[in-house]
């Protein structure tokens, strides 16, 4: 409890009004908030990637201009992950110093890295909305989780 209090006390005052209820909330509410917070990250990430990939709409110019650090961080992170998994292929190993943002139009593999990086950047930008939405829906979702638990463990 004191650990949670220390973490919550570091938040800006504007966010504390949303998190004060979590401090004294039952475990079901804390679990519901954490699940919702993760869902609000995974669903937009996968959805936006799918949208960019299947529509060929990639707003890289706008995103780099307004949220360039998020896009670059995402490109570095996912390019490293894709290389580690071997998804970029061996022939692309020599191009490591150029980076995905430089190679995305030349190679379909790098296009996928940039699409994921853009989805990641947009998801990062939406963090305040995701947190407020998760806090708002927590009581309802806690009830859903409790009902699901009762159905499973009868």
């Amino acid at each position: 409890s004191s650990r949670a209090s220390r973490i919550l006390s570091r938040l800006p005052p504007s966010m504390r009004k949303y998190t004060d209820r979590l401090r004294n909330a039952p475990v079901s509410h804390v679990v519901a908030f954490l699940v919702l917070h993760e869902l609000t990250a995974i669903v937009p990430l996968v959805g936006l990637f799918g949208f960019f990939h299947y529509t060929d709409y990639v707003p890289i110019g706008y995103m780099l201009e307004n949220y360039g650090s998020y896009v670059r961080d995402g490109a570095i992170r996912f390019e490293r992950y894709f290389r580690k998994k071997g998804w970029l292929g061996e022939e692309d190993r020599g191009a490591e110093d150029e980076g995905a943002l430089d190679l995305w139009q030349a190679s379909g593999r790098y296009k996928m890295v940039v699409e994921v990086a853009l989805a990641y950047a947009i998801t990062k930008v939406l963090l305040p909305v995701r947190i407020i939405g998760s806090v708002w829906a927590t009581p309802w979702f806690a009830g859903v989780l409790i009902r699901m638990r009762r159905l499973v463990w009868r």
Side-chain angles (χ1 to χ4, degrees), residues 8 45 64 66 84 127:
L8 292 175
L45 184 69
L64 280 173
N66 294 295
K84 185 174 144 185
L127 181 65

Side-chain angles (χ1 to χ4, degrees), residues 9-142:
S9 68
R10 292 183 195 158
L11 291 172
S14 61
M15 293 297 291
R16 285 189 199 150
K17 66 182 178 181
Y18 298 108
T19 59
D20 279 342
R21 286 189 233 149
L22 280 178
R23 189 181 308 230
N24 299 320
V27 174
S28 62
H29 281 62
V30 174
V31 170
F33 171 78
L34 293 173
V35 169
L36 280 171
H37 180 67
E38 292 305 313
L39 283 174
T40 60
I42 293 168
V43 170
L45 184 69
V46 172
L48 287 167
F49 165 71
F51 176 77
F52 295 147
H53 188 71
Y54 291 110
T55 63
D56 287 331
Y57 174 71
V58 183
I60 192 160
Y62 175 80
M63 289 301 294
L64 280 173
E65 183 179 313
N66 294 295
Y67 306 105
S69 63
Y70 289 146
V71 175
R72 285 183 201 85
D73 291 346
I76 290 167
R77 172 179 287 172
F78 289 107
E79 182 179 8
R80 188 178 317 126
Y81 179 76
F82 285 16
R83 279 191 191 286
K84 185 174 144 185
K85 292 292 186 183
W87 295 343
L88 294 179
E90 291 297 320
E91 68 275 3
D92 292 332
R93 289 246 182 234
E96 277 188 49
D97 55 334
E98 289 185 63
L101 289 175
D102 299 325
L103 298 170
W104 77 279
Q105 289 178 321
S107 170
R109 293 177 183 144
Y110 285 99
K111 184 174 187 258
M112 193 174 287
V113 172
V114 171
E115 290 166 347
V116 173
L118 285 174
Y120 171 81
I122 293 170
T123 303
K124 288 287 259 187
V125 168
L126 292 175
L127 181 65
V129 174
R130 291 176 31 226
I131 290 174
I132 291 170
S134 296
V135 169
W136 175 78
T138 291
W140 170 80
F141 196 64

